[in-house]
Amino acid sequence: MADLRWAAWPALLAALILTAGAAGLCGIAILTRDDAPPEGVRVSASISGSGSTAQKGAMDAWRTEFHRIHPDLRVDYRPTGSGAGIAEFIAGTTAFAGSDVAMRPEEQARADRRCGNKALHLPMVVGPIALAYNLPSVPDLKLSPATLTGIFTGRIIRWDAREIAADNIGVRLPHSVIRPVHRSDNSGTTHNFTSYLKAAGRWPHQPSGKWTGAGRGVTGSTGVADLVRYVEGSIGYVEYGFASNARLRTAQVRNASGRFVALSPKSATQAMEGARIISGDNGLVVEFGYLTKNEDAYPIVLITYEIACSKSSEPLVRTFLSYTASDAGQSYLSLNGYAPLPNELLAQVRTRLGDTS
C-alpha cells in the first residue's frame, strides 16, 4: 500500500466519512430488517441503550440471539461512545448505558436522581485494547510501555528509532515516519489506554477520555481501525474485535514480568487476575492492576459496564442483562474479539441481577 502523507488526510477522512455514511445507511436498513419480528408476531416490548463502541460486536451478537430466543422482544443499541451513553442514560432517553469507565461521582448522583433509586454498574465484557499497526515489512512488532508513550506523545517519530529497535532486536525496521491515530471523541477506550500508559509507561498527562497526546484523531473505534488499515506507517489503539475484523496486525506488548505477550481472549482474561471488586450500592466497579506479574497476561484491557437502574420500571432491561450474563451470552464474547468475565466476578453480576443460575 502506498504511503499516505498527512497532507492527504483531509481527503481521506472525507472519503471515509462518505463511505461510513453509506455503510451506516445500509446498516440501519439491515438492523431494521433483522430486528423486525417475524410476520404475524407483534413486538410486545422494546428497550434501547447506547454508549461504549468497544462492546458493539458483543452487543450486536447478544441482540441478535436474544431476539431469536424472544421474538416478541427487541433491544436496540447505538454505539455513541461511553461519555455520550452516560449522558443519554442520565437524560432518560435510554433504558441502559454501556460505558468503559465507571461514572464520576457527579454523574452517579445525576443518574440516581434519574432512576429514583440507585444506578448500578454491572461489568459485562472484558475488552482487550489492541495496538493495531500498518507496517507491511514488520509482521511481528513488539512494543514496551515506555516506547508506546514515546510514540503517542510524538517524542518517537520514526519506526527505526532506537527505542523501537531495542524492543525488536534483529528486526529490520523502516526509516519511515510514525503516524499515530487516536480517538477524537470522549472515549472510554482512550481513558483506559491512557490509564495503562500512566501506570506502566510514564504517560505525562492524567488519564482522560479526551485525548491529550499526539497524532490524528477520528471518531469511534471503526474510524481508528479504518484509518490504520488505509495509512501505511500508522498505529492506533482500538478494541481487539475491530482490529481483527479489519484484519490488522497487532503488536505484542511487554507486561510487568518483562515478557512480550500477543493479544488473545485468553491472555486478556489473565490480566484480570488479582482484580479487586468494589461492591456497594453503585454496583460492581472493578479495580485491576496494569502491572500484573502474570507472565501470560496481555496488560492492556478494559471492563465495559452496563449501567441500569437498580429498580427499573422496564423489566426487559433485567431480562436482557440476565441473558448477557448467562453462560450462553458470555460464550459469544471470545467469538467476537472479547474475553468472558472471570467466574468470581460473573457470579456476583448474576447475584445482582437476581440470576444465580
Side-chain angles (χ1 to χ4, degrees), residues 12-22 218:
L12 175 61
L13 285 170
L16 286 176
I17 289 169
L18 287 173
T19 303
V218 66

Side-chain angles (χ1 to χ4, degrees), residues 71-131:
D72 58 334
L73 305 177
R74 190 174 82 182
V75 177
D76 297 316
Y77 183 80
R78 294 182 297 111
T80 56
S82 296
I86 289 173
E88 289 164 352
F89 175 75
I90 290 172
T93 58
T94 55
F96 69 97
S99 178
D100 307 327
V101 293
M103 291 187 289
R104 300 189 302 272
E106 61 270 23
E107 291 174 327
Q108 180 73 54
R110 292 164 59 202
D112 291 347
R113 287 195 297 271
R114 178 265 192 199
C115 289
N117 49 68
K118 282 293 182 181
L120 297 181
H121 294 79
L122 297 168
M124 205 64 70
V125 178
V126 177
I129 300 176
L131 274 304

